[in-house]
Amino acid sequence: MGTEQAAGVEISEPLLHDARAERKITVGGSDEQEEEEIIPEWKEQITIRGLVVSALLGALFCIITHKLNLTVGIIPSLNVAAGLLGFFFVKSWTGFLSKLGLHVKPFTRQENTVIQTCVVACYGLAFRGFGSYLLSMDEKTYELIGEDYPGNRAEDVKNPGLLWMMGFIFVVSFLGLFSLVPLRKVMVLDYKLTYPSGTATAMLINSFHTNTGAELARKQVSCLGKYLSISFIWSCFKWFFSGIGDSCGFDNFPSLGLTLFNNTFYFDFSPTYVGCGLICPHIVNCSVLLGAIISWGFLWPFISQRAGDWYPADLGSNDFKGLYGYKVFVAISLILGDGIYNLIKIIAITIKEMYRSSTKHHNIAVVKEVADSDGSKLLVEQRKRDAVFLKDGIPFWFAASGYVALAAISTATMPMIFPPLKWYLVLCSYILAPALAFCNSYGAGLTDWSLASTYGKIGLFIIASLVGSNGGVLAGLAACGVMMSIVSTAADLMQDFKTGYLTLSSAKSMFVSQLVGTAMGCVIAPLTFWMYWTAFDIGTPDSPYKAPYAVIYREMAILGVEGFSELPKHCLAICCGFFGAALAINLLRDVSPKKVSQFIPIPMAMAVPFYIGAYFAIDMFVGTIILFVWERINRKDAEDYAGAVASGLICGDGIWTIPSAILSIFRINPPICMYFKPSSS
């Protein structure tokens, strides 16, 4: 998945012959047969139909991402579904018009790549912030932590508002796109970074546009549609039994018994979480389950028995001075331990690889010269890709002036939205951001791991501590959003450049599609979030939409201001233990042989159920068992269709959210409340 593939691509689309708008490039195939592919100019790669499909899919994936963000906070990659559905919609449209006898422009892999890029840029904005730092600012999270909690001030509250959220996202989301554009040649061609997700996406799109690949894609879409329908109908059926409140229905089904149910161990029949289990690697699902067993099976029952000694026994279930505080801070310690370790690791890898690239540059040039004299087919293919990638350049002055102009607008605007965040702090963030964006993009190119949230947390702690008790919480959360947006979008853009390079798509069309997708996301992401905000009870610990990271991020900001003085008894010692354990487990994963390290859990995945509960871990583990058995029965079918099945389950449940929200807005309640109690009571 993480290596480049320069294999031949057989193009089955009809060829266009407009010499003014296209250029011919021979794509390497077998020695006996080569196909000539006509590469459209960058403007031809961006089409009206592509943008319409991108907007529709962007809205769908924003809805799905918000649901996952506001429930468990674990979001699998939906890139495969985006590419597959984009291919399906445009091919269906062109096929329909062709049957009517109308002339249609052929659907190329370049247009497919543009759609994929646009969709991912759009729903990426839903992933960043709405379930974490933005929601951390609201009044409900403030009240949940406690009005008398040290450092938790009423002045550091800013409730979600559609207009200010759109404005905030507009002023911070485009900067990352301009920060590293001049380095696209260095990252993709000179350093030859693999960007595993970008490479895998390119291979997928290339396969769609072959005869055999198109047939497989058709079957995958059919499979996705079938499971989407099943998931939608099942979610609709569940709604009728969910009653009023949060204790009814299949979501509270004590499938493993009432005793385990009280400790959140139960299967809640969620197609979304089962689908996540099918997509996520086995080790991620097993890590989540292990975290649930350690926390809800042992640690929380042990601490709850110390009520009256370690903390007052009469506290509410959501009081941070009691068991709830342990849950939040232990989860934070695992997240920070994992994030800091991987940050140091990737910075070290980055420095090492950059040094190695500079010392071996001369040798690489010699090898290329020899390969050229031998007429290497791989080299010919690579040079064609290089030519396409470099043809439509993005001038340095354009990128630099765009970054400076956007930084100036943002520096002036941010203090208006968040008064405690002074303009000079914003300006300093934008001066440092390109260097951090480079580190994150380079690391993502080597390891496929974007540490945007870690950079965001670092910004949160620094700004919160600098501003202090007079607005530090709000300023820190806003700074977290600024830093996270820049480093994340920069890494995403480089991934897209790699995808475009391997699909013979113009770098300029990739950049423009990212801009368009980001602009769509600035409108669609807040609107879809607003649907959830107005229809459901967001942020309440006992509701399905717990928004787990809202509390975690606000507590991080308070820690940045107040320190550790107000933690419950022994909480700091337990947190230090889990922080050290996260570092040790990651180190063990890196030093162990691969056959051993593949069974060592991931601390970041273990942390999530510590706060949320074990129920979704059970669902994801069911998904991983299904995939494991499927792989043993028929590995090829599992590889071909598991992603389609998972995407269908997630999308169907996500689509049901729309009518469910409409029913909730109009106060139409489910007619039946199905709940369970002991037979003796």
Side-chain angles (χ1 to χ4, degrees), residues 191 343 516 531 535 571:
Y191 289 152
L343 176 63
V516 173
M531 178 189 75
C571 185

Side-chain angles (χ1 to χ4, degrees), residues 1 3-5 198-208 502-503:
M1 294 284 288
T3 57
E4 288 187 33
Q5 179 173 329
T199 299
T201 301
M203 293 167 63
L204 179 75
I205 291 174
N206 283 337
S207 72
F208 288 164
L502 294 174
T503 57

Side-chain angles (χ1 to χ4, degrees), residues 145 149-152 320 325 328-333 336 457 460-466 468-469 472-473 476-477 551-568 571-572 575:
I145 291 176
Y149 191 85
N152 189 38
F320 270 84
V328 172
F329 288 111
V330 172
I332 289 174
S333 66
L336 289 179
K457 294 183 188 86
L460 184 155
F461 280 117
I462 292 173
I463 299 298
S465 61
L466 287 175
S469 58
V473 171
L477 292 170
V551 168
I552 288 174
Y553 272 71
R554 189 173 184 90
E555 274 294 351
M556 286 182 186
I558 293 172
L559 282 178
V561 173
E562 296 291 323
F564 299 98
S565 58
E566 296 298 324
L567 296 182
C571 185
L572 182 58
C575 289

Side-chain angles (χ1 to χ4, degrees), residues 391-407:
K391 180 180 183 296
D392 297 315
I394 301 166
F396 174 80
W397 67 265
F398 177 77
S401 59
Y403 186 84
V404 170
L406 288 170

Side-chain angles (χ1 to χ4, degrees), residues 536-598:
F536 303 112
D537 187 16
I538 305 297
T540 303
D542 298 326
S543 77
Y545 297 95
K546 296 176 176 63
Y549 284 106
V551 168
I552 288 174
Y553 272 71
R554 189 173 184 90
E555 274 294 351
M556 286 182 186
I558 293 172
L559 282 178
V561 173
E562 296 291 323
F564 299 98
S565 58
E566 296 298 324
L567 296 182
K569 189 177 181 181
H570 302 303
C571 185
L572 182 58
I574 295 172
C575 289
C576 289
F578 277 95
F579 181 86
L583 297 176
I585 291 171
N586 274 303
L587 181 62
L588 188 61
R589 281 177 59 85
D590 286 338
V591 301
S592 300
K594 185 172 178 59
K595 62 182 180 181
V596 176
S597 65
Q598 63 181 332

Side-chain angles (χ1 to χ4, degrees), residues 253-316:
F253 194 99
S255 45
L256 302 177
L258 287 171
T259 301
L260 287 175
F261 176 80
N262 291 332
N263 279 343
T264 73
F265 284 94
Y266 58 94
F267 179 66
D268 73 347
F269 299 91
S270 168
T272 295
Y273 304 148
V274 174
C276 290
L278 282 166
I279 289 181
C280 292
H282 293 305
I283 188 61
V284 171
N285 298 317
C286 292
S287 298
V288 171
L289 182 62
L290 178 61
I293 292 171
I294 291 172
S295 56
W296 293 90
F298 297 100
L299 185 59
W300 304 150
F302 172 79
I303 294 177
S304 63
Q305 292 173 1
R306 271 68 187 167
D309 180 15
W310 288 15
Y311 60 91
D314 58 347
L315 295 177

Side-chain angles (χ1 to χ4, degrees), residues 66-394:
H66 283 314
K67 179 174 182 179
L68 291 169
N69 231 346
L70 296 172
T71 51
V72 297
I74 293 180
I75 302 173
S77 173
L78 299 173
N79 293 12
V80 171
L84 187 62
L85 289 173
F87 175 82
F88 167 71
F89 281 127
V90 179
K91 288 291 285 186
S92 299
W93 177 248
T94 56
F96 174 73
L97 293 181
S98 296
K99 288 180 180 178
L100 295 178
L102 301 174
H103 174 72
V104 292
K105 183 178 180 181
F107 182 43
T108 64
R109 55 177 169 159
Q110 289 78 23
E111 186 180 354
N112 205 160
T113 305
V114 166
I115 293 172
Q116 153 85 17
T117 300
C118 205
V119 173
V120 173
C122 180
Y123 88 80
L125 295 185
F127 170 70
R128 292 189 290 270
F130 284 95
S132 55
Y133 66 86
L134 282 176
L135 210 53
S136 297
M137 303 174 186
D138 84 319
E139 187 173 2
K140 188 173 293 184
T141 306
Y142 158 75
E143 293 173 349
L144 185 60
I145 291 176
E147 298 179 12
D148 59 343
Y149 191 85
N152 189 38
R153 305 186 321 143
E155 291 81 357
D156 290 321
V157 169
K158 191 172 185 65
N159 285 313
L162 196 56
L163 292 180
W164 79 254
M165 287 192 302
M166 283 185 179
F168 170 72
I169 294 172
F170 262 109
V171 297
V172 302
S173 295
F174 292 93
L175 277 151
L177 301 179
F178 287 88
S179 62
L180 295 185
V181 166
L183 297 180
R184 65 186 178 88
K185 177 180 178 294
V186 174
M187 306 287 262
V188 176
L189 299 185
D190 296 345
Y191 289 152
K192 299 188 184 301
L193 298 176
T194 55
Y195 288 101
S197 289
T199 299
T201 301
M203 293 167 63
L204 179 75
I205 291 174
N206 283 337
S207 72
F208 288 164
H209 295 269
T210 64
N211 289 328
T212 54
E215 177 62 22
L216 176 61
R218 186 189 63 78
K219 293 178 180 178
Q220 288 173 331
V221 168
S222 175
C223 180
L224 188 151
K226 179 171 71 174
Y227 283 92
L228 185 150
S229 302
I230 293 171
S231 176
F232 181 85
I233 293 170
W234 171 248
S235 298
C236 177
F237 176 76
K238 284 202 307 177
W239 177 83
F240 284 94
F241 298 90
S242 57
I244 301 173
D246 304 313
S247 60
C248 305
F250 286 93
D251 290 341
N252 295 278
F253 194 99
S255 45
L256 302 177
L258 287 171
T259 301
L260 287 175
F261 176 80
N262 291 332
N263 279 343
T264 73
F265 284 94
Y266 58 94
F267 179 66
D268 73 347
F269 299 91
S270 168
T272 295
Y273 304 148
V274 174
C276 290
L278 282 166
I279 289 181
C280 292
H282 293 305
I283 188 61
V284 171
N285 298 317
C286 292
S287 298
V288 171
L289 182 62
L290 178 61
I293 292 171
I294 291 172
S295 56
W296 293 90
F298 297 100
L299 185 59
W300 304 150
F302 172 79
I303 294 177
S304 63
Q305 292 173 1
R306 271 68 187 167
D309 180 15
W310 288 15
Y311 60 91
D314 58 347
L315 295 177
S317 60
N318 299 321
D319 195 311
F320 270 84
K321 296 185 178 72
L323 181 62
Y324 192 68
Y326 292 93
K327 294 176 183 178
V328 172
F329 288 111
V330 172
I332 289 174
S333 66
L334 277 172
I335 292 169
L336 289 179
D338 188 283
I340 290 172
Y341 177 89
N342 282 288
L343 176 63
I344 296 171
K345 170 187 167 183
I346 288 180
I347 289 175
I349 292 173
T350 299
I351 295 172
K352 180 180 176 181
E353 289 299 321
M354 290 177 68
Y355 175 75
R356 181 181 298 173
S357 296
S358 63
T359 57
K360 292 189 176 182
H361 182 74
H362 178 69
N363 294 335
I364 291 171
V366 173
V367 171
K368 283 186 175 181
E369 188 175 343
V370 172
D372 185 49
S373 64
D374 293 338
S376 168
K377 196 160 207 168
L378 281 177
L379 184 59
V380 171
E381 178 67 20
Q382 179 183 316
R383 285 185 169 177
K384 289 168 184 172
R385 284 178 171 149
D386 291 352
V388 173
F389 187 71
L390 296 174
K391 180 180 183 296
D392 297 315
I394 301 166

